[in-house]
Every structure is written in structure tokens, then in C-alpha cells.
Amino acid sequence: RAAARLNTAHVAMSLPAVVPRPLARPCARREQPARRHRRAHRQRAGNDSATAPPSVASAEAAALRDELLALLGGGGEGGEGRMARTIDRSRLERLVEQLELLNPTPKPFAAEASMRLLLNEWQLVTTFKPGTADVRFTSPESWRKYIFEQGPSPVQSLVVGAGTVDNVFQVLADPCGSPANGAKWQNVVEFGPPGTSLVIEAAMEGVRDDDSFFYRFCGGYFDVQGTWGGPDGTRVPYPVPFDLLEKLRPGQTKGWFSTTYLDERLRISRGNKGSVFVLKRPAGYWE
């Protein structure tokens, strides 16, 4: 039943209707060491990143960032407070736009320092798009419009108002050198009994420009640890045939994802379908 509730909705990104152009720009290649945290898909700063880097945000940007996180109920130094149930939507959109104009990291792939800010684990705070209010996570019609038309993602209604999902995370690998290097972008929902999560993976397919990369959904699984998963844990394949879906409707499993604001605590991203994603570093990430 938990799997039915989640369906494809946890994926914090959009399935596009247009096949991305075959462009992959070269950029600095580097490895980003990461120590495991709790489970295989959770990644924190590497051993060489034991302390947070110096703040890259201006005083104005830092103030707007703190206001945004407070508005969303996620204020504090990586605090784990749940998102506020009632949001001033117009203020939310204005804060996002103001922060994007003050982005201190416009080229996140350009250097090791900026890649250190970008990679590994992020916690989703909110995602929005015009029309979200009309979307319901449990509605088959909402899912039909999302997959086969240009409708907004039902995950938005799930993240904003539902209590069935405790945490939604993204784990970013280095897109430079993809797809040859096999880098993947993981989207993770932790739910149900402790140690249970749904992981959807997207293969990175090259850097699109200075702040975005191409991706293609390629698979997923339910990850069950602890008592329910047995001594070695259990992985149950996620029953969505992404390759078949791509053959039937070219472009449905592909897209691009850009980073429009980035500092040591906050990331704002936009997908090719127009959705906006606000993410923060989890508590203790830089420890």
C-alpha cells in the first residue's frame, strides 16, 4: 500500500515532453569523495570537507535566504523543521527570483570549490509551479496530465501538504564526463517504517551549459533496511519500464536540470518543464 501511495510522485523533477538536444560541454573533471550516511544512497561531505566552506553569499543574499527558509519552516543551520503548512506563495516566488539575481555561484561546474558546494546530498524543502493547487497526489488524472501532457508534478502536492512522506532528498553525482562515467542523480523518499525508502535513479547525460545538465530516468527500487529488510537489507525493483516509456513516447524520461542559486546552505533549481525546487543541506552535512 505504501508503494501505491508513492507511485512515481516522489521524484523531485519533471518528466519532459521534448527530447533534449545532444549537447555535452567539457568541464573540469574531478572525483568527490563521500562517506556513507545511514544507507547507501545517502551521501554527506567527504572526509576532506569536515567543515563548512566560507560563505559565498553576500549579506543581502544571506538575509533573503534566511527569510526564505523561515517562510518554509526550514530555518536554522540545516534545521530539520517540517515545511510550514501555510505559505505566502507570492512572497515565496519573489524571494526565489531575488535570490536567483544574487546567485554567488553562476558556474557550479567550473571549479572544485563550486563543485564541493553542489554535489552529494540535499533535502527538498518545497517545489512549485503554476497549477500546483489543482494537483492531487492520489489522482490518476493528475498523473495522466503529468506523464502524457504538460501538467505539474503531483509530487508538489505531496511535499507541500502530505504527512505520508517524512523526507525527500536528492543526491547529485558529478555530471562532468557523463554519460561515459556512469554518473547518476538519485531522488529519494524515506517513508513508512524506519529504514524504508524509494529511490529513483536518473543517468546523467552530459553538461548542457554553465549551470545545467541533461538526465534520463533509468530505474529505481524500494530500499528496505532494518527489521523489515533482514540482515543484509532488501531491494525491490520499482515497476516502471522507463526504457519502454521512452520508446513509446520519446522525451518522456529525459530532460535537463539547472542550478539557479547555490551557496553552502541553499540550492534553487529549475527543471525544463518550469518547476522550481528549493533545497537545503541536511542537518550535520558539513560535520
Side-chain angles (χ1 to χ4, degrees), residues 87-205:
I87 298 174
D88 182 345
R89 176 63 175 273
S90 61
R91 183 56 181 157
L92 169 62
E93 295 188 17
R94 286 198 303 272
L95 284 168
V96 166
E97 291 172 356
Q98 288 175 292
L99 280 165
E100 289 175 327
L101 291 174
L102 297 171
N103 183 13
T105 318
K107 298 181 179 181
F109 311 135
E112 186 167 352
S114 57
M115 289 293 279
R116 184 184 175 208
L117 292 175
L118 177 67
L119 298 186
N120 295 335
E121 186 182 14
W122 292 89
Q123 182 175 359
L124 182 68
V125 184
T126 191
T127 177
F128 61 87
K129 181 182 178 181
T132 298
D134 299 324
V135 175
R136 289 186 298 113
F137 174 68
T138 57
S139 166
E141 180 65 11
S142 294
W143 280 105
R144 186 192 67 79
K145 290 181 177 179
Y146 172 58
I147 294 174
F148 297 110
E149 298 178 12
Q150 289 287 335
S153 170
V155 70
Q156 296 162 5
S157 63
L158 180 69
V159 173
V160 170
T164 56
V165 173
D166 295 322
N167 293 299
V168 181
F169 296 87
Q170 290 183 359
V171 181
L172 288 176
D174 187 344
C176 299
S178 65
N181 63 2
K184 291 183 178 180
W185 173 26
Q186 291 183 321
N187 289 259
V188 181
V189 174
E190 297 181 345
F191 68 98
T196 306
S197 61
L198 173 58
V199 182
I200 295 294
E201 295 183 318
M204 292 178 163
E205 297 202 321

Side-chain angles (χ1 to χ4, degrees), residues 19-38:
V19 179
R21 62 186 186 275
L23 172 65
R25 294 182 52 186
C27 55
R29 185 72 181 97
R30 62 196 64 80
E31 297 298 326
Q32 191 76 356
R35 57 181 173 84
R36 301 297 182 183
H37 176 79
R38 294 178 58 185

Side-chain angles (χ1 to χ4, degrees), residues 147-148 241-253:
I147 294 174
F148 297 110
F242 290 109
D243 290 341
L244 178 60
L245 178 60
E246 181 61 28
K247 290 179 180 179
L248 295 175
R249 298 188 62 85
Q252 287 299 311
T253 67

